[in-house]
Amino acid sequence: MSQTVAAPAAPAQTVGEQARKRRGHSYHSGKQGQWWRFAVLLVITAIVLVPIAFVFVLSTQPSLGSNASGFTLDNFVNVFTQTGLTTWLTNSLIVTLATVLVAVVVAAPAGYVLSRVRNRLVSSYSLTLFVIQSLPVITAVIPLFTLFANIGLVDNLVGVTIIYVGSTMSVATWMMAAYFDSIPIALEEASWIDGASVLTGFLRIVLRNSLPGILSTAIFSFLLAWNDYLIATVFLRSDPNYTLPIGLETFFQQNATDWGPVMAVAVVMMMPPILIFVFLNRSFSVGGIGGSLAGR
Amino acid sequence: MADTITKRVGRAGRGVGSGGAGRAAPTKASRVGHRGVTLAAFAIPSLLLLLLINLYPLVYAGFQSVHNGDLISVGDFVGLDNYVAVLKSPDFWNSAKFTLIFTICGVFGSWLLGLAVALLLRTKIPGGGILKVLLLMPWIVPVVVSATAWNFLVATPQSPLPVIASALGQPNVLFLADPVLAQITVCVFKIWISFPFMMIMISASLAAVDPNVYEAAAVDGATSWQAFTGNTLPIISRSTYISWILMTIFCVNDFPTIFLLTQGGPVGATTSLAVLSYQTVFADMQTGPGVAIAFLMTLVLVVVSVILYRQIRKVEVE
């Protein structure tokens, strides 16, 4: 492949060469430089993708129990009909969508305050949000477990949803505030002069113009709730309440050598983040949103 | 988005509140009170969540760390006994050592790889957009999935990597059964997961650079290396410090990356402080010492963050 691509590019290469010579060691010009860059990147990308590629490949290989060979989708049929996958998937969807909804509804007004009000109280609130974001989750999980055990929220989807919303709060509020910063306050001022209240101005003017900000916050909350392992493994204790990460982990522990079905569950679990990423990344920089997720 | 978050982090670090483009609205005096009530109502739900999910546990954890109770009951007040016991235990210091190794490898390994990729991606290359999307995958895929994939690759003697190693004349390479190899594997796994984050952070700051800077440097006869140290590094230094702080926090707090691959084994070689705290509480049922470990971990994290924050301020002053 590299040969067929290289051939037509040859004239351009010489032009690049000349340009390079003219400018001395110009830092990033010239087609010559591009080809080794491309090759190195290709190799890095290929190595990086090996583990993920194996997930896809293995999910379409026959399970140990079956006598089929070659490409098959049986694993997907089997995991949906014979394991708890449907339950885990439903639980994950319920928890994740509830988290997204509540997080946006709570973070948007708070972000508005952060964006529009400037006083010592609000700036210390902003700083508190940052400090809290960097505290170890494990520190919060242990006391919360005690609290939730007393009020019956352990092994309960509502319990983990509340924690997810709390965990998204600092970053979600910041993200909304960052977006509101880009909306000129003159728009609201005009509406206030026309007699609108702060609430009306916020709902009709600010929120209506903040769809990208709202979507970014929603994607962030979605990824946090969908990918979480620590909180789910501590709080969800029985199979009917497992979310996908815990379902996959226990299923993997039970079928460690039968990779086909395990990887089929893995594929189901990673498709939503990948689809969101592929379709929305251009407009929302999902990768950057994910930045606030790690360590959770 | 990475960039706006970066700016906010910087702003919070400088103790400046919010605002940005919007300035305080000049409203009539009669409206100020009404407006204040609405704005307070806007902030209260998030404040309540913050109190319940973040601040209350912190306070209660402090309470638990000076008691000898378990997950359900409070137990008796024991003063600083838990902290003393933790600081005396060799497990704690081994974990602290591994956490340090893991964090240093995670931060600088992912930074170097992310920087290299970001620099390679900077010029227009064929398929650059697609490559960038593909390179972000380790960051996007849920950690449970990637840990499963890595388990397949390295865990058993029949796994692909040990098979390749034995074909190359190194039989019986057990990546997760040998303490040192397991530590290396976990660090490499962390770098694999985290380098796309660094790539995004660095790419965002590189995108803001005027290419003429490099043209000018080239005219002055600067070599590639001089252009890199003289132009590129200063430009990315601010976002680099911020990404180091964030990645340090991510690494120290990281639980799933390690736990899902090794469960802290073999013989505790990959037990980080977060994993040790989890095991102390949920396996050994010792809440007090477990929380004490988490607190000590937080303390170190705060100190490191403050040191790195100072560096950011220095960079900003320059």
Side-chain angles (χ1 to χ4, degrees), chain A residues 75 112 123 183 216:
Chain A
N75 292 323
Y112 181 73
S123 64
I183 296 174
S216 301

Side-chain angles (χ1 to χ4, degrees), chain A residues 44 48, chain B residues 108-118 191-192 195 198-199:
Chain A
I44 294 177
V48 161
Chain B
F108 294 106
S110 64
W111 182 71
L112 284 175
L113 187 55
L115 176 65
V117 174
I191 293 171
W192 179 81
F195 88 88
M198 293 293 191
M199 178 181 99

Side-chain angles (χ1 to χ4, degrees), chain B residues 124-159:
Chain B
K124 263 204 168 324
I125 55 163
I130 296 171
L131 286 181
K132 199 169 184 177
V133 168
L134 290 175
L135 282 167
L136 276 165
M137 281 301 157
W139 187 245
I140 296 301
V141 169
V143 63
V144 182
V145 171
S146 42
T148 310
W150 276 65
N151 259 307
F152 166 78
L153 283 175
V154 301
T156 66
Q158 291 79 38
S159 299

Side-chain angles (χ1 to χ4, degrees), chain A residues 57-74:
Chain A
V57 172
L58 289 169
S59 71
T60 62
Q61 296 301 307
S63 168
L64 287 181
S66 79
N67 45 18
S69 61
F71 181 88
T72 172
L73 290 177
D74 287 354

Side-chain angles (χ1 to χ4, degrees), chain A residues 27 48 114 125 130 146 181 291, chain B residues 8 18 46 71 122 250 309:
Chain A
Y27 188 67
V48 161
L114 222 58
Y125 181 52
F130 178 72
T146 308
D181 282 353
Chain B
R8 278 208 160 253
S18 44
S46 87
L71 278 171
R122 189 154 57 123
F250 297 162
Y309 255 143

Side-chain angles (χ1 to χ4, degrees), chain A residues 153-173:
Chain A
L153 284 177
V154 167
D155 201 13
N156 186 320
L157 294 178
V158 177
V160 289
T161 308
I162 294 174
I163 301 179
Y164 290 155
V165 174
S167 320
T168 61
M169 207 31 63
S170 49
V171 177
T173 307

